Amino acid sequence: MKMEFVLGVNYWPRRKAMFWWKEFEEREVREEFAVIKELNLDVVRIFLLWEDFQPEPERIDDKSLRNLGRVMDIAHELGLRIMPTFFIGHMSGINWLPEWTLSDEPHNRFLTYSNGRVVDLGARDIYEEPDLLKAEELLLRTVGSELDDHPALYAWDISNEIDNVRIPRTPEAGRRWVRFVYETLKASSSKPVTFGIHQEDIQGDKHFRVGDVAEGNDFLCMHAYSVYTDFTDPLDPYFVPFACLLTKALGGKEVLMEEFGMPTTPGETRKIRSVTGKHEAEHYLISEKDAARWLEETLKALYEFGTLGAFYWNFVDYHESIWDRPPLDRAVHERFFGLLRSDGSLKPTALVMREFRKKMGELKRRTLEIDVPEDYYSDPKGNLVRLYREFRGKLGLE
């Protein structure tokens, strides 16, 4: 499908983060959405935290549903559109799940937040167990029918990097689940549907293979972060657009860059110790000036290579008052991905996003094909690295 190039942002509130729906404040949403509008952005991607919207398998929370309606109304009043994301699920280094979805086994990589506490438990088979599928269908149909005719609705996102919650048993199970969610949404809504897959789905095989996913998507999405790659520079502006081109080649559909960004610092670029999941590692904090230069070049390449649009991660750095709450108490680098600082002031990256619309008319679209092998998933990381080198060679960068 062809859509206009859209600029957007992923959103959690500055003082609430993932506790937004539990502590909902309409004024806060209006104030922050007004800033998003002032940055000349089109779409806000939001996340329906699963336990807040479906605390029991047979009950959708009326309060959360009403608050979602107010978010949609505020967006419409301000001239913004919304992309709601289901089954959250995985977010910022921790999994957020209702108790009724939990297994009695630990997760091998991530901790889980459920019912007010962090636990070392994974999820049941959310892709195949009949009672879980029935509950998922209820959430999809309820929210889908409630919002389908809302003028602020841009598209639906099936989920966010949900293979970090649990990897499907087989690629066929992954394909079947995406198709199930797609068809369920389409039964109650006419809006486009996509699925928030990420870099790990093109550099490994987590059983959401892009070609399979494409069957249940009206357009494809990708989440890519040069700052997380181990085979290119953190400030390489071409990896993110390449990830879109590769996704398009694998899936045969147009691609939206749904997540990309940089954790930043006002000072010089440095590394810090931070925890993702259960494991501590070094993560970059990129200087704000360097991040702004990287963003401008990345946006230009995303536009020129024909992506559907670019949604920055994230709207704002989180306020110091919530640094002691999960996941920010451990995932230190996750505090600093915002276009805004934690005091609400604009970073240089925010200015780049704000001004980019004016520059789009000066840019020209161009075509560059990625020749993917039929057996790509026999060696996804090797193929990814090789194809990226070839891509850079075609651009005269090698």
Side-chain angles (χ1 to χ4, degrees), residues 121-175:
L121 294 174
R124 294 164 56 198
D125 193 339
I126 53 180
Y127 311 113
E128 296 190 272
E129 291 188 32
D131 62 319
L132 294 182
L133 294 173
K134 183 179 179 181
E136 292 163 19
E137 182 177 8
L138 174 63
L139 179 62
L140 293 163
R141 289 188 181 275
T142 303
V143 177
S145 59
E146 183 81 12
L147 297 186
D148 178 52
D149 60 355
H150 200 288
L153 182 60
Y154 173 72
W156 301 108
D157 190 345
I158 289 172
S159 195
N160 179 71
E161 303 175 11
I162 200 168
D163 49 60
N164 284 336
V165 172
R166 185 184 176 106
I167 296 173
R169 185 174 51 86
T170 62
E172 172 59 24
R175 184 201 65 78

Side-chain angles (χ1 to χ4, degrees), residues 2 8 38-39 102 110 124 153 155 179 185 188 193 276 291 302 327 397:
K2 274 293 180 186
E38 289 169 4
L39 293 178
L102 297 182
F110 295 104
R124 294 164 56 198
L153 182 60
R179 191 75 199 183
L185 273 172
S188 56
V193 176
T276 298
L302 284 168
L397 300 171

Side-chain angles (χ1 to χ4, degrees), residues 22 98 102 130 133 160 163 184 198 208 231 236 242 288 377:
K22 292 179 175 67
L102 297 182
L133 294 173
N160 179 71
D163 49 60
T184 302
H198 58 140
F208 284 121
F231 54 87
D236 180 348
F242 165 79
E288 289 183 358
Y377 280 99

Side-chain angles (χ1 to χ4, degrees), residues 57 75 80 90 112 118 123 136 191 201 206 247 252 268 278 288 291 296 299 330 335 354 373-374 377:
L80 295 168
H90 183 74
T112 294
V118 175
E136 292 163 19
K191 292 298 189 294
D201 295 310
K206 299 180 76 177
T247 302
E268 296 299 314
K278 297 180 180 180
E288 289 183 358
E296 181 146 23
L299 283 171
R330 292 161 53 87
R335 302 170 182 173
R354 188 182 69 187
E374 290 186 9
Y377 280 99

Side-chain angles (χ1 to χ4, degrees), residues 198-247:
H198 58 140
Q199 198 166 321
E200 293 185 4
D201 295 310
I202 54 175
Q203 68 183 27
D205 186 2
K206 299 180 76 177
H207 296 170
F208 284 121
R209 298 177 177 179
V210 178
D212 294 341
V213 166
E215 294 180 17
N217 282 216
D218 294 308
F219 61 93
L220 290 163
C221 282
M222 177 48 55
H223 305 171
Y225 293 85
S226 58
V227 74
Y228 289 158
T229 59
D230 60 4
F231 54 87
T232 191
D233 189 278
L235 288 165
D236 180 348
Y238 293 101
F239 175 70
V240 167
F242 165 79
C244 286
L245 290 174
L246 176 58
T247 302

Side-chain angles (χ1 to χ4, degrees), residues 117-392:
R117 63 195 180 102
V118 175
V119 295
D120 189 7
L121 294 174
R124 294 164 56 198
D125 193 339
I126 53 180
Y127 311 113
E128 296 190 272
E129 291 188 32
D131 62 319
L132 294 182
L133 294 173
K134 183 179 179 181
E136 292 163 19
E137 182 177 8
L138 174 63
L139 179 62
L140 293 163
R141 289 188 181 275
T142 303
V143 177
S145 59
E146 183 81 12
L147 297 186
D148 178 52
D149 60 355
H150 200 288
L153 182 60
Y154 173 72
W156 301 108
D157 190 345
I158 289 172
S159 195
N160 179 71
E161 303 175 11
I162 200 168
D163 49 60
N164 284 336
V165 172
R166 185 184 176 106
I167 296 173
R169 185 174 51 86
T170 62
E172 172 59 24
R175 184 201 65 78
R176 190 167 53 242
W177 183 76
V178 172
R179 191 75 199 183
F180 155 74
V181 177
Y182 177 84
E183 291 177 350
T184 302
L185 273 172
K186 286 295 191 179
S188 56
S189 174
S190 58
K191 292 298 189 294
V193 176
T194 189
F195 178 34
I197 58 172
H198 58 140
Q199 198 166 321
E200 293 185 4
D201 295 310
I202 54 175
Q203 68 183 27
D205 186 2
K206 299 180 76 177
H207 296 170
F208 284 121
R209 298 177 177 179
V210 178
D212 294 341
V213 166
E215 294 180 17
N217 282 216
D218 294 308
F219 61 93
L220 290 163
C221 282
M222 177 48 55
H223 305 171
Y225 293 85
S226 58
V227 74
Y228 289 158
T229 59
D230 60 4
F231 54 87
T232 191
D233 189 278
L235 288 165
D236 180 348
Y238 293 101
F239 175 70
V240 167
F242 165 79
C244 286
L245 290 174
L246 176 58
T247 302
K248 181 178 180 179
L250 288 165
K253 291 185 177 178
E254 301 297 326
V255 180
L256 171 76
M257 177 44 66
E258 190 178 48
E259 278 189 31
F260 72 117
M262 288 279 178
T264 65
T265 176
E268 296 299 314
T269 294
R270 58 191 173 94
K271 284 186 175 181
I272 60 168
R273 303 296 293 181
S274 185
V275 178
T276 298
K278 297 180 180 180
H279 306 291
E280 185 179 75
E282 285 192 329
H283 288 276
Y284 282 102
L285 293 183
I286 304 294
S287 80
E288 289 183 358
K289 290 183 179 179
D290 286 346
R293 285 191 290 268
W294 166 85
L295 177 57
E296 181 146 23
E297 292 301 308
T298 301
L299 283 171
K300 285 171 60 179
L302 284 168
Y303 182 88
E304 289 175 343
F305 285 117
T307 59
L308 294 174
F311 292 5
Y312 195 81
W313 183 272
N314 190 18
F315 168 60
V316 67
D317 288 356
Y318 299 113
H319 193 267
E320 291 85 343
S321 61
I322 59 171
W323 284 3
D324 61 347
R325 305 179 83 172
L328 306 175
D329 55 340
R330 292 161 53 87
V332 176
H333 68 295
E334 294 281 359
R335 302 170 182 173
F336 304 113
F337 270 94
L339 291 170
L340 279 64
R341 303 181 189 94
S342 62
D343 64 1
S345 59
L346 302 184
K347 295 182 187 179
T349 45
L351 304 181
V352 170
M353 291 294 286
R354 188 182 69 187
E355 298 302 313
F356 186 70
R357 186 179 306 283
K358 301 174 185 176
K359 299 178 180 181
M360 282 165 40
E362 304 167 6
L363 302 175
K364 294 182 179 179
R365 300 278 189 161
R366 54 176 166 163
T367 301
L368 200 157
E369 301 291 336
I370 306 295
D371 186 18
V372 296
E374 290 186 9
D375 63 344
Y376 179 87
Y377 280 99
S378 66
D379 181 18
K381 180 65 177 291
N383 283 318
L384 173 68
V385 173
R386 175 181 60 80
L387 291 169
Y388 187 54
R389 288 199 188 113
E390 291 176 2
F391 172 77
R392 288 179 58 86

Side-chain angles (χ1 to χ4, degrees), residues 66-136:
R66 285 196 304 272
N67 289 337
L68 175 58
R70 287 302 302 138
V71 171
M72 301 295 291
D73 291 343
I74 291 167
H76 180 56
E77 291 165 19
L78 292 169
L80 295 168
R81 289 175 287 173
I82 298 292
M83 178 188 278
T85 307
F86 289 97
F87 308 124
I88 307 302
H90 183 74
M91 184 55 55
S92 299
I94 196 169
N95 293 332
W96 306 77
L97 294 169
E99 281 190 310
W100 52 269
T101 67
L102 297 182
S103 74
D104 55 4
E105 297 290 333
H107 196 289
N108 64 0
R109 186 177 171 193
F110 295 104
L111 297 171
T112 294
Y113 186 93
S114 181
N115 197 24
R117 63 195 180 102
V118 175
V119 295
D120 189 7
L121 294 174
R124 294 164 56 198
D125 193 339
I126 53 180
Y127 311 113
E128 296 190 272
E129 291 188 32
D131 62 319
L132 294 182
L133 294 173
K134 183 179 179 181
E136 292 163 19

